Amino acid sequence: MSGLRQQIKEMIVEVLNLEGMAPDGIADETPLFGEGLGLDSIDALELIVEIEKRFGTKIANRDIAATALASVNSIAAFISASKGEAPANQAT
Amino acid sequence: MRVYIDGVGLYGPGLDSWDEGRLILSGQRPYERRNMPPAPASALSPNERRRCGTTVRLAIQVAEEASIRAGIDATVPSVFASSGGDSEILHNLCETLATTPKDLSPTRFHNSVHNAPVGYWSIAHKATASSTSLSCFDGTFAGGLIEAAVSVLTETGKTLLVVYDLPAPEPLHSACPFICGFGVAFVLARKAGGRSIAALDIELTGDTGNIAVMGNSDLETIRTGNPAARSLTLLEALALDRTAGLKIPYLDDLAVYLTVEPIVHRAQ
């Protein structure tokens, strides 16, 4: 699962053009929105499209997005569950 | 039409600001061609700056410089003019649509519209003033100047004119072979004020010969290599701070004759 988390972090930095931030600079549990990474609703839309494109996983509505996009861990868990894989072990 | 120039913004290769450009164009400093890094565009918030493209950053950079020099706020209406718009994003959208999956980036789609730069300008300054975005191929600078001058004289009293273009990736570059990026902005006013640097008379003419050119070959290459850089001869006249008459290109059968008269401010 660490490989999936790393892919997600790289996606976030690349797609959202987070200048000066390395993928490893995003902790697995860091909130992506609000007080954490400071992303906003436009970024959420961008992530929804990119997650579907890269991982073939569709985020169907706003409620699911709010839960799934909370952190790198939650995105990894959502992608794994969508593919019928075992829940991701949460990194500590 | 007579208008007054209250502020100038400039960003081009080896021309990082109007302060630097004025020294070079007046012959006080030699011109050295340099690569043009993405404009800092410090007026944008960090989130908007990372989200927008380099074309938006270029437009915002010169708009901000001219506005500060003229001492205007965001209540002044604006004209944003670009021949090609954000061609890098247009290229990216075309590339995405030509492949599978065809999912477009929402942000890039949002940024692809021709008035995206003035949208970012409005967001940065919480501005609700009217704006016009136009394109006129190689005559974009003259077209923008006429639109802004008409706006100043008939409606607004002051108008911010912003003209900008960046080179496109191939294959768009073959159709519009801009050799470099260039951005320029002017704040135009109906009446002369404390910050006015020159009066500018604008006249359409059917005589399209004898277009003014730059004496420096590098700057002349830039002038002809980017539609926004057609402003260079006007900028040179302003930098030299002396009365001048010059013609700039507009349409196939129309040119624009400009008369520049510097305004001398007496010390208080």
Side-chain angles (χ1 to χ4, degrees):
Chain A
M1 291 311 300
S2 63
L4 176 57
R5 290 194 191 91
Q6 183 64 23
Q7 288 178 55
I8 292 167
K9 292 174 186 178
E10 288 170 0
M11 173 191 72
I12 291 171
V13 170
E14 178 191 333
V15 170
L16 303 183
N17 194 27
L18 299 180
E19 292 176 346
M21 174 168 281
D24 291 342
I26 306 174
D28 295 346
E29 285 292 352
T30 297
L32 299 183
F33 297 86
E35 293 295 315
L37 212 55
L39 305 185
D40 59 21
S41 58
I42 298 174
D43 297 319
L45 197 56
E46 198 71 36
L47 288 177
I48 289 169
V49 171
E50 197 64 23
I51 287 169
E52 183 173 356
K53 190 187 288 185
R54 294 195 187 198
F55 302 103
T57 303
K58 197 175 188 72
I59 297 177
N61 60 51
R62 181 182 296 190
D63 291 339
I64 294 173
T67 305
L69 299 181
S71 67
V72 170
N73 269 344
S74 66
I75 295 174
F78 178 77
I79 292 171
S80 297
S82 299
K83 292 180 179 298
E85 297 171 359
N89 293 325
Q90 302 291 296
T92 55
Chain B
M1 296 185 287
R2 166 164 284 205
V3 294
Y4 295 87
I5 297 175
D6 282 8
V8 181
L10 175 62
Y11 199 77
L15 301 164
D16 292 345
S17 67
W18 175 231
D19 270 341
E20 185 173 359
R22 190 168 43 191
L23 291 173
I24 291 166
L25 295 171
S26 63
Q28 298 176 66
R29 185 186 292 175
Y31 176 67
E32 291 177 22
R33 175 79 183 264
R34 299 193 300 266
N35 286 336
M36 188 175 124
S42 55
L44 294 171
S45 70
N47 267 1
E48 301 300 342
R49 192 162 46 246
R50 70 175 166 77
R51 193 173 283 143
C52 72
T54 48
T55 300
V56 170
R57 290 172 64 149
L58 173 61
I60 299 298
Q61 176 73 21
V62 292
E64 188 75 6
E65 186 187 4
S67 298
I68 290 171
R69 289 182 183 283
I72 61 166
D73 60 24
T75 60
V76 170
S78 58
V79 173
F80 279 61
S82 174
S83 176
D86 199 325
S87 51
E88 187 178 338
I89 286 180
L90 297 178
H91 170 79
N92 182 275
L93 295 184
C94 291
E95 202 172 49
T96 301
L97 291 172
T99 55
T100 303
K102 299 186 187 303
D103 299 326
L104 295 173
S105 153
T107 307
R108 287 197 176 119
F109 182 70
H110 163 83
N111 286 342
S112 69
V113 294
H114 202 67
N115 64 348
V118 75
Y120 278 94
W121 175 252
S122 301
I123 291 168
H125 291 286
K126 297 181 171 57
T128 56
S130 64
S131 67
T132 299
S133 294
L134 61 83
S135 172
C136 189
F137 196 47
D138 284 348
T140 293
F141 173 63
L145 181 62
I146 293 167
E147 175 71 19
V150 169
S151 165
V152 164
L153 295 175
T154 61
E155 298 176 61
T156 61
K158 287 192 179 180
T159 293
L160 169 65
L161 168 64
V162 187
V163 192
Y164 50 93
D165 265 298
L166 285 175
E170 289 291 1
L172 292 174
H173 185 262
S174 294
C176 295
F178 306 158
I179 63 157
C180 63
F182 198 90
V184 65
F186 296 97
V187 174
L188 304 180
R190 187 185 302 164
K191 296 176 180 172
R195 303 211 184 198
S196 300
I197 60 171
L200 183 65
D201 289 316
I202 303 168
E203 185 182 347
L204 281 173
T205 173
D207 178 4
T208 57
N210 299 315
I211 296 295
V213 298
M214 301 298 291
N216 179 293
S217 60
D218 286 338
L219 291 170
E220 175 61 9
T221 301
I222 292 172
R223 187 190 72 81
T224 57
N226 184 307
R230 303 297 199 279
S231 59
L232 268 170
T233 48
L234 170 59
L235 292 168
E236 183 180 55
L238 294 171
L240 289 168
D241 206 21
R242 61 183 180 222
T243 300
L246 60 102
K247 202 184 293 178
I248 60 171
Y250 182 25
L251 305 176
D252 288 343
D253 56 352
L254 275 179
V256 176
Y257 191 81
L258 303 175
T259 305
V260 183
E261 287 181 20
I263 292 177
V264 179
H265 295 282
R266 291 190 175 84
Q268 297 293 313

